[in-house]
Amino acid sequence: MFRSFRFRNYRVWFLGALVSNIGTWMQRTAQSWLVFDELSDHDATAMGVVTALQFLPQLFLAPWAGVLADRLDRRRLLLWTQTAMAALAAGLGAAVLAGVASLGLVYAFALALGVASTLDAPVRQTFVSEMVDDDYLSNAVALNSTSFNAARMIGPAAAGVLVASIGSGWVFLLNTLTFGAMLAAILAIRSEELRGMPRSGRGRGQIREGLAYVGGRPDIVAVLVTIFLIGTFGLNFAVFLAAMAGPEFGRGPETFGALNSILAVGTVAGALLSARRRSARLRYVYGGSAVFALSCLGAATAPTLTVFALWLVPCGLSSLTIMTTANAYVQSTTSPVMRGRVMSLYMAIFMGGTPVGAPVVGWITDALGARWGMGVAVAAGLGGALVGALFWLRLRARGPAAGAAPPGGAP
């Protein structure tokens, strides 16, 4: 399960990322509650707008971010992007503590953070391949998800307590400090132990080249369609949990943070199960979509807060099984020289759909209630399972060559 830890650089990266991810989840939870409870009157639409602005840059900048990831020194790029995100966390914290925070200001910071995150995402995703051998890549991707979601267990619960006791502004400043751990880890990585990856040169048509590569891979296209459905309409848990904790069950920020942590129990389990598998298989993407739909249906119809919380565990497990397997499959079956551009397209579809999905889910939640908002996630899971069924039928009709991938990533 932890075989990638044999690489010293990856161990350093993992520890730095874990600390930084805890801070990131603390800020996400504090920001969601700041908008939902302090800057609006439990307005789920406003939360959806903040989420949308945070991911909107993915739609426009991701292709160029992928080109940069394939062309430039990824370690140096990460130093710049991580520093920028630390500065934004500090700025938002200072604004809240100074009493000048408003919805408009939070919108502006969310958009700026989205720009930095868009440039950071494909670099961070593909940098892992420089720290471990190809045989360990799927495991390393799964362990990255484990780190992110272990932090999701700790961060929201800590944020719920801290917001209630000292306020959201201090939580943002604490996140600034956790970025220091990530920057220290990047600086501690030994350059001589990194694997040399082929770089793309300067030239015209590099974005089109990446799109053409994906277009010639029906298996990747099917994965991207599933990721779009789940990422756009299924993973709006900031909206779902705030609406269920507040208006539906009449609870406060501590409950909101606790529900995020319970969800993370499932996501960590999903990531660890993915880490145990030798290779990423598409059956886990599509089977996970069906389980996700069933779990969200159970949560949406839960009669009590306790039952709702219990359903969040399989919701988290299935969603992380989908995301981790899809990420590892795309990375491990893509040519190294194309990996940055393909992963930027992956991240654009996964995160760039949020500006469409989050406001829609927020509006449905405001208009029809939190339970109907979660019904959108049910439909997204069913859609992902349907894509898998159609892809399987195509393979049956035309033979394995219709969706051929390198042997390590066979469906």
Side-chain angles (χ1 to χ4, degrees), residues 35 45-47 49-50 53-54 102-112:
V35 171
T45 302
M47 283 188 64
V49 171
V50 170
L53 288 172
Q54 200 161 304
S102 64
L103 271 179
L105 188 65
V106 175
Y107 288 165
F109 270 96
L111 183 61

Side-chain angles (χ1 to χ4, degrees), residues 105-376:
L105 188 65
V106 175
Y107 288 165
F109 270 96
L111 183 61
L113 181 61
V115 172
S117 298
T118 298
L119 297 175
D120 179 82
V123 184
R124 182 165 32 85
Q125 293 285 334
T126 54
F127 187 54
V128 176
S129 64
E130 298 187 27
M131 291 183 280
V132 302
D133 295 339
D134 286 340
D135 290 343
Y136 293 80
L137 183 56
S138 179
N139 176 256
V141 169
L143 290 178
N144 281 353
S145 293
T146 303
S147 165
F148 187 73
N149 289 284
R152 192 175 189 171
M153 284 197 298
I154 301 168
V161 174
L162 291 171
V163 168
S165 58
I166 62 177
S168 56
W170 287 108
V171 177
F172 299 143
L173 293 184
L174 285 173
N175 183 37
T176 302
L177 297 179
T178 66
F179 274 109
M182 188 73 257
L183 291 169
I186 295 170
L187 292 171
I189 287 174
R190 296 171 181 168
S191 299
E192 64 274 12
E193 295 180 12
L194 291 175
R195 299 173 62 208
M197 289 285 120
R199 302 283 188 209
S200 65
R202 294 180 178 272
R204 291 178 176 272
Q206 291 185 323
I207 294 176
R208 289 195 302 273
E209 186 181 9
L211 293 173
Y213 178 87
V214 171
R217 290 282 304 276
D219 55 328
I220 291 182
V221 172
V223 169
L224 294 181
V225 172
T226 301
I227 290 301
F228 171 78
L229 291 172
I230 300 295
T232 300
F233 301 108
L235 300 185
N236 294 288
F237 284 110
V239 178
F240 299 148
L241 299 188
M244 293 293 283
E248 190 66 32
F249 293 115
R251 302 302 178 90
E254 298 93 339
T255 299
F256 177 55
L259 289 175
N260 273 279
S261 294
I262 291 169
L263 177 70
V265 171
T267 58
V268 169
L272 288 173
L273 287 174
S274 297
R276 288 180 61 88
R277 301 183 191 114
R278 284 291 173 185
S279 61
R281 305 284 182 176
L282 292 183
R283 69 191 69 165
Y284 296 113
V285 175
Y286 305 124
S289 297
V291 175
F292 180 75
L294 177 62
S295 303
C296 288
L297 179 62
T301 57
T304 66
L305 178 62
T306 300
V307 175
F308 174 75
L310 290 174
W311 273 112
L312 292 179
V313 176
C315 280
L317 191 152
S318 55
S319 65
L320 246 292
T321 298
I322 298 165
M323 297 306 129
T324 302
T325 306
N327 186 313
Y329 180 87
V330 172
Q331 284 212 58
S332 61
T333 65
T334 297
S335 169
V337 76
M338 301 295 298
R339 195 168 285 156
R341 279 164 284 181
V342 173
M343 286 308 298
S344 71
L345 182 60
Y346 175 96
M347 298 305 295
I349 290 172
F350 174 43
M351 302 173 70
T354 302
V356 177
V360 170
V361 171
W363 178 80
I364 292 174
T365 300
D366 283 336
L368 302 178
R371 297 180 185 276
W372 281 104
M374 287 208 71
V376 179

